[in-house]
Amino acid sequence: DYLGLKKENEKLTEYFKISHKNRDYKLVPAEVIARNAYDDFGAFSIGVGSSDGVKAGDAVITENGLVGQVTRAEPVTAYVTTVLSPSLNVGAADKQSGDRGIVCGTADLSDKNQTALKLIDENNKIKKGDLITTLGTGGVYPESLIIGRVASVEQDMFDSSPYAVIEPYENIKSVESVAVITDFSGRGEINAKNQQSH
């Protein structure tokens, strides 16, 4: 019990630091309570839900960076789709080169706890070791959330388009504690503007 409480306090301290550094974040700490055995991309359920202010679309992080997004919220639990999944598309940028793309997983990479930065320029300057962060342009994710580091730059075997293999800082399939960003400055702004222009 003591070790469990100590670990929990350490996690809460880390999330307090994140909140302090990003004062516009509203964070709800949560424990992983179940994993989906039928999902190859590490999907899991957490022990907080809509009664805690959690809703579909919220970003899910650890102190090391982005792990996924809430795709369904019940009153006391929520379901999280991870950054390893092909069904999650996250606008992202290379912090060093400025190259932009979409983080989207594949089955092969998921087995190695990796994901991919796709739709990047053919003349990109992405290098191994570069930091990949969220763009924040869609109003869904805050800007500059860490996603991971570049493990390699490859070419798609079917259409020869380049993509970067991304290694998250977190072992997505064994993470135990997370925090949900339920609100942040600029959330939904782009979407609201788009709706107004239609």
Side-chain angles (χ1 to χ4, degrees), residues 53-60 68-70 140-141 180-183 187:
V54 172
K55 58 206 166 299
D58 287 346
V60 179
Q69 184 188 71
V70 173
V140 178
Y141 300 94
V180 183
I181 303 176
T182 57
D183 203 8
R187 170 154 195 164

Side-chain angles (χ1 to χ4, degrees), residues 9-185:
N9 282 339
E10 284 168 2
K11 286 279 180 192
L12 289 172
T13 301
E14 289 301 329
Y15 293 133
F16 174 76
K17 285 181 192 167
I18 293 169
S19 289
H20 192 71
K21 194 175 166 189
N22 304 277
R23 291 183 181 274
D24 61 319
Y25 286 11
K26 277 192 185 164
L27 289 180
V28 177
E31 295 298 313
V32 175
I33 56 169
R35 292 194 174 274
N36 185 343
Y38 302 102
D39 182 86
D40 295 328
F41 307 102
F44 55 84
S45 295
I46 52 177
V48 294
S50 54
S51 60
D52 304 286
V54 172
K55 58 206 166 299
D58 287 346
V60 179
I61 63 168
T62 68
E63 69 271 26
N64 295 319
L66 182 70
V67 295
Q69 184 188 71
V70 173
T71 44
R72 190 175 71 248
E74 310 287 349
V76 294
T77 60
Y79 187 78
V80 178
T81 300
T82 77
V83 291
L84 305 182
S85 173
S87 65
L88 208 65
N89 294 295
V90 185
D94 183 308
K95 204 79 171 161
Q96 282 69 34
S97 73
D99 285 290
R100 296 178 170 202
I102 300 288
V103 168
C104 180
T106 70
D108 289 346
L109 289 176
S110 175
D111 290 341
K112 299 175 244 178
N113 192 56
Q114 294 174 327
T115 187
L117 180 67
K118 300 178 180 178
L119 301 179
I120 55 177
D121 196 279
E122 285 218 5
N123 303 313
N124 72 81
K125 294 182 170 57
I126 297 172
K127 294 189 194 70
K128 181 179 178 180
D130 284 0
L131 189 66
I132 304 299
T133 63
T134 53
L135 265 177
T137 51
V140 178
Y141 300 94
E143 190 180 351
S144 298
L145 276 181
I146 292 169
I147 300 172
R149 283 208 179 271
V150 175
S152 63
V153 181
E154 310 287 346
Q155 280 195 316
D156 190 289
M157 61 188 292
F158 297 109
D159 61 11
S160 297
S161 60
Y163 68 94
V165 175
I166 311 302
E167 212 152 67
Y169 282 114
E170 198 66 68
N171 187 333
I172 306 290
K173 293 185 180 180
S174 64
V175 66
E176 295 175 354
S177 298
V178 296
V180 183
I181 303 176
T182 57
D183 203 8
F184 60 92
S185 176

